[in-house]
Amino acid sequence: MLLAGKIAVVTGAAGNLGSATARELALEGAKVVASDLPGDRLDPVVASIRQAGGHAVAHPADLSSEAEIAALIARAKAEYGGLDLLPNVAAHMREIDKDRDLLAMDPAYWDKAMAINLRGPMLACKHAIPEMLARGGGSIVTFGSTAGQMGDIGLFAYSATKAALGSLARSIATTYGKQNIRANCVCPGSVWPDRKSTRLNSSH
C-alpha cells in the first residue's frame, strides 16, 4: 500500500498498458480515475479494481479535446479530492496502418497522431500540475516507446510523437522539480496483449 491516500488519473486505461497501470496503482492503495475513449472497455477495468478491494471510477474522454481533458482532471478533484499521479498512457493506435508509408502519408493522420499522442499529454499536464501543486507535489509518468528512441520501420508519426514526449517530460521536470513534481518518461518495447501477472489477478 505504498500509494495509500494518493489519487491518480490514468489515460488509455482500457488498453493493455493502461489497464495494468490502473490496476497496479489501485493495488498499492491509490484511488484511480480510469479514462479512455467512450465505450464499454473501461467497465471491466474498473470492475476488476473494485473486486480486488480498490477504488476506481471510469471517466471517458477524448484526449484531442482540451475541454474533455479539463473535465477529466476536475473529476479527480470532485470524486476524490485532488490529484497526485498522472500516468499518460494513451496513444493513437486504431489507424496504425496509415502510418506505414511516409510517401503516402495523409497529413490528416499525422495531425491526429500529434493531437492524441503529444498534444493530449501536454494538455493533461497543463491541467494536472496546478492540482498537484495544491497538494504539495506529484508525479507524472509519460509513456514513450523504444520506437521514439531508435525509430521503427513504418511508424513515422508514432515514433516522432513518442520521441517528443521524452523532451516534454524533461522540460516539466526541469521547470517544476523544485516544486516537488517529478516527471519521467518510460519507454517500453513490444507488449504482449492480454498477459496479466499473478499479482494483477490476485486480490488483496
Side-chain angles (χ1 to χ4, degrees):
M1 303 295 285
L2 296 176
L3 300 176
K6 301 297 184 181
I7 302 156
V9 166
V10 181
T11 68
N16 291 309
L17 282 173
S19 61
T21 300
R23 291 188 182 102
E24 281 289 324
L25 291 175
L27 283 171
E28 291 293 352
K31 297 176 181 177
V32 176
V33 179
S35 184
D36 212 302
L37 289 170
D40 58 2
R41 296 172 63 228
L42 278 173
D43 295 337
V45 178
V46 170
S48 67
I49 290 173
R50 292 177 175 174
Q51 288 168 4
H55 298 274
V57 294
H59 187 99
D62 181 350
L63 290 189
S64 65
S65 166
E66 182 169 10
E68 293 195 26
I69 292 174
L72 170 63
I73 302 303
R75 176 69 184 280
K77 184 175 183 178
E79 191 78 31
Y80 295 127
L83 182 62
D84 304 289
L85 311 169
L86 176 65
N88 283 311
V89 189
H92 182 52
M93 301 293 292
R94 291 190 173 188
E95 302 173 294
I96 201 69
D97 286 344
K98 295 183 180 180
D99 205 10
R100 301 299 186 190
D101 185 354
L102 180 63
L103 304 187
M105 175 75 71
D106 182 349
Y109 172 83
W110 177 273
D111 292 343
K112 188 171 185 179
M114 291 292 165
I116 296 173
N117 294 2
L118 183 56
R119 183 172 176 269
M122 178 277 292
L123 290 171
C125 292
K126 172 185 173 180
H127 289 277
I129 287 172
E131 298 300 331
M132 292 179 176
L133 291 173
R135 289 170 65 84
S139 177
I140 297 168
V141 180
T142 297
F143 280 61
S145 170
T146 53
Q149 297 179 313
M150 301 178 291
D152 204 337
I153 296 173
L155 288 177
F156 299 96
Y158 179 84
S159 297
T161 59
K162 293 299 184 178
L165 286 175
S167 180
L168 176 64
R170 286 190 291 272
S171 293
I172 291 172
T174 301
T175 304
Y176 296 100
K178 291 182 180 179
Q179 293 169 275
N180 202 31
I181 291 180
R182 291 178 289 112
N184 295 282
C185 183
V186 297
C187 296
S190 299
V191 177
W192 288 96
D194 301 324
R195 284 196 175 184
K196 298 176 183 177
S197 69
T198 302
R199 173 175 164 77
L200 293 178
N201 286 328
S202 65
S203 61
H204 67 156

